[in-house]
C-alpha cells in the first residue's frame, strides 16, 4: 500500500520500521519539528525522522496541520492510507479524509479504557492488570474512532512504563502490518467504541512524581513503576532530592517516610499502609545505584525520614 506515516517517538518508529520491512510504499513521513534535547539543548530529530532518513523517505515537519498551506504537501500523494502512532499533532477532518482508506491509529490501550496522551503510564498507575493495542479508524474526536482490531497483553507486577512501552511498541508494529493486510475486511466489520468505561489518560506532569509517603505501599509501587523512566518518582533525604527508580511493597509499620531497616539489597521505608523496599535510587547529580551500592557511599540510619512526612 501507499502510505503516509505520522509519528514521533520510539513507539512510532517501531511501527514505521515494520511497515518498511513489510514492503509498503511509505511515500511521506510526518513527524514533529526537531526539539531541543539534552544538557546542551541541541536540536534533536525524532526517532521517526531518523528511521525515515535512514531509508531515504521524504520527511515533513509542520508545527500544525490546520491551514491549507500546511496541508498542501499531502495533497498530491494519493495515499491509500495514513498510519498514525503517537504523532502529537491533531489531524483536522480535511487530512483524515485525504487517503482512500482514511487514517488508522495505533493506540496503546484497550479502548475506550484510556484515551489520550499517556495510556501506558495511566494504566500502571491505576493498577490495571491488562492493556494492549487498539488499531482504530480515526475520526475528529480524541481517540473516539471505531476499532478495527484489539490485541491484549498482561501488565506484569514488575512492569514499569519503559518495559510496557517496549512490549506494546512491538505488539503495535505487528498489529498494524496485520491490519493493512486485511484492511477492507476489518473496515467492514469495525466496532463502535463502548460509551462506558471511558477514561482520559492525561499527559504526565512533573509535580505528580513527588512521593507522598502517607499513601499505601501498593499505590506508591504503581507510581514508581508508572513514572519510570519519566518523570521519575522523587522524594527527598536530608533536604536533597532523591529519585526512586525501583521498589516493591512489603510488610512493615512506622510513620510515613520513616526508614525502618537497611538491608543488603533494599532500604525499607514505611508508608501510610505497609512499607516499600527500595532497591534502586539516585541522589541529585549522582548515578542510579542499587541499594547496596547506595548504602556503601551514604550514611543512612533507621529512624531517619524520606520526604516531608509528619516527623516526630
Amino acid at each position: 500500500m501507499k502510505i503516509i506515516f505520522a509519528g514521533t517517538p520510539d513507539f512510532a518508529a517501531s511501527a514505521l520500521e515494520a511497515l518498511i520491512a513489510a514492503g509498503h510504499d511509505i511515500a511521506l513521513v510526518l513527524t514533529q519539528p526537531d526539539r531541543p534535547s539534552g544538557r546542551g539543548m541541541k536540536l534533536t530529530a525524532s526517532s521517526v525522522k531518523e528511521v525515515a532518513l535512514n531509508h531515504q523517505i521524504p520527511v515533513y515537519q509542520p508545527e500544525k496541520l490546520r491551514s491549507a498551506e500546511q496541508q498542501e504537501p499531502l495533497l498530491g500523494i494519493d495515499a491509500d492510507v495514513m498510519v498514525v502512532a503517537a504523532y502529537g499533532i491533531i489531524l483536522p477532518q480535511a487530512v483524515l479524509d485525504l487517503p482512500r482508506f482514511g487514517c488508522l491509529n495505533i493506540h496503546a490501550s484497550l479502548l475506550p479504557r484510556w484515551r489520550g496522551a499517556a495510556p501506558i503510564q495511566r494504566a500502571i498507575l491505576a493498577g490495571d492488570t491488562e492493556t494492549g493495542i487498539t488499531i482504530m479508524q480515526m475520526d475528529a474526536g480524541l481517540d473516539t474512532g471505531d476499532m478495527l482490531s484489539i490485541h491484549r497483553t498482561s501488565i506484569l507486577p514488575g512492569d514499569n512504563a519503559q518495559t510496557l512501552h517496549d512490549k506494546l511498541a512491538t505488539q503495535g508494529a505487528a498489529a498494524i502490518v496485520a491490519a493493512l493486510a486485511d484492511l477492507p475486511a476489518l473496515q467492514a466489520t469495525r466496532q463502535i467504541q463502548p460509551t462506558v468505561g471511558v477514561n482520559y489518560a492525561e499527559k504526565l506532569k512533573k509535580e505528580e512524581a513527588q512521593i507522598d509517603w502517607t499513601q499505601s505501599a501498593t499505590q506508591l509501587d504503581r507510581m514508581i513503576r508508572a513514572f519510570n523512566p519519566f518523570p521519575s518518582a522523587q522524594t527527598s533525604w536530608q533536604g536533597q532530592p532523591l529519585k526512586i527508580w525501583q521498589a516493591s511493597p512489603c510488610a512493615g509499620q512506622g510513620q510515613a517516610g520513616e526508614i525502618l531497616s537497611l538491608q543488603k539489597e533494599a532500604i525499607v521505608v514505611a508508608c501510610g499502609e505497609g512499607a516499600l523496599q527500595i532497591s534502586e535510587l539516585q541522589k541529585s547529580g549522582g548515578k542510579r545505584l542499587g541499594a547496596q551500592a547506595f548504602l556503601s557511599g551514604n550514611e543512612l540510619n533507621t529512624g531517619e525520614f524520606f520526604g516531608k512526612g509528619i516527623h516526630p
Side-chain angles (χ1 to χ4, degrees):
M1 282 191 170
K2 195 175 198 180
I3 297 172
I4 298 172
F5 185 89
T8 299
D10 291 346
F11 179 86
S14 296
L16 178 57
E17 290 274 22
L19 292 170
I20 294 168
H24 290 286
D25 175 12
I26 313 299
L28 180 67
V29 163
L30 306 181
T31 192
Q32 289 199 30
D34 297 358
R35 305 292 188 195
S37 179
R39 291 187 177 181
M41 297 302 285
K42 180 181 178 182
L43 281 180
T44 304
S46 72
S47 298
V48 162
K49 181 178 180 179
E50 291 180 355
V51 171
L53 294 180
N54 286 339
H55 291 274
Q56 293 81 49
I57 299 171
V59 175
Y60 178 43
Q61 297 178 269
E63 287 283 358
K64 304 288 183 183
L65 280 167
R66 292 174 180 169
S67 69
E69 182 180 1
Q70 291 166 332
Q71 296 167 18
E72 194 275 335
L74 311 181
L75 300 182
I77 293 177
D78 192 28
D80 294 309
V81 67
M82 180 185 289
V83 173
V84 182
Y87 180 31
I89 292 177
I90 295 173
L91 302 184
Q93 192 64 50
V95 173
L96 295 175
D97 292 339
L98 277 177
R100 185 156 61 100
F101 291 107
C103 299
L104 305 186
N105 180 246
I106 308 168
H107 187 73
S109 169
L110 302 176
L111 289 170
R113 173 61 175 157
W114 293 110
R115 295 174 177 170
I120 294 173
Q121 294 88 346
R122 298 299 174 191
I124 294 173
L125 201 58
D128 292 0
T129 57
E130 185 181 51
T131 187
I133 293 290
T134 304
I135 303 298
M136 178 187 68
Q137 188 80 44
M138 295 180 69
D139 60 18
L142 177 63
D143 299 329
T144 56
D146 292 349
M147 302 180 293
L148 302 188
S149 64
I150 298 168
H151 310 264
R152 300 177 182 274
T153 193
S154 297
I155 301 177
L156 302 177
D159 272 328
N160 58 36
Q162 186 65 60
T163 61
L164 189 56
H165 165 280
D166 293 349
K167 287 195 290 187
L168 291 174
T170 299
Q171 187 177 43
I176 191 61
V177 170
L180 293 182
D182 198 26
L183 186 53
L186 288 177
Q187 288 185 325
T189 58
R190 62 194 193 186
Q191 305 171 51
I192 297 173
Q193 286 192 41
T195 56
V196 296
V198 176
N199 295 279
Y200 179 62
E202 294 186 27
K203 187 176 180 179
L204 300 181
K205 300 175 183 177
K206 287 187 177 181
E207 52 266 33
E208 290 183 83
Q210 193 64 37
I211 293 174
D212 175 3
W213 291 102
T214 64
Q215 291 187 325
S216 71
T218 298
Q219 290 172 305
L220 293 180
D221 166 53
R222 294 172 184 169
M223 173 194 172
I224 291 164
R225 292 186 292 115
F227 295 162
N228 181 354
F230 177 84
S232 70
Q234 300 194 35
T235 187
S236 60
W237 172 60
Q238 296 184 349
Q240 298 298 314
L242 187 69
K243 293 183 178 182
I244 308 298
W245 289 107
Q246 190 168 334
S248 58
C250 65
Q253 188 173 358
Q255 296 193 60
E258 181 183 1
I259 299 174
L260 299 179
S261 67
L262 304 173
Q263 302 174 4
K264 184 177 180 180
E265 301 293 339
I267 300 164
V268 179
V269 180
C271 305
E273 180 182 327
L276 275 183
Q277 46 188 10
I278 300 169
S279 54
E280 187 178 8
L281 60 171
Q282 180 181 14
K283 287 199 308 184
S284 179
K287 297 180 180 179
R288 291 172 61 161
L289 296 173
Q292 185 175 12
F294 188 88
L295 290 171
S296 295
N298 297 277
E299 188 177 345
L300 273 71
N301 298 289
T302 56
E304 285 187 293
F305 283 80
F306 282 166
K308 300 178 181 178
I310 302 173
H311 301 175

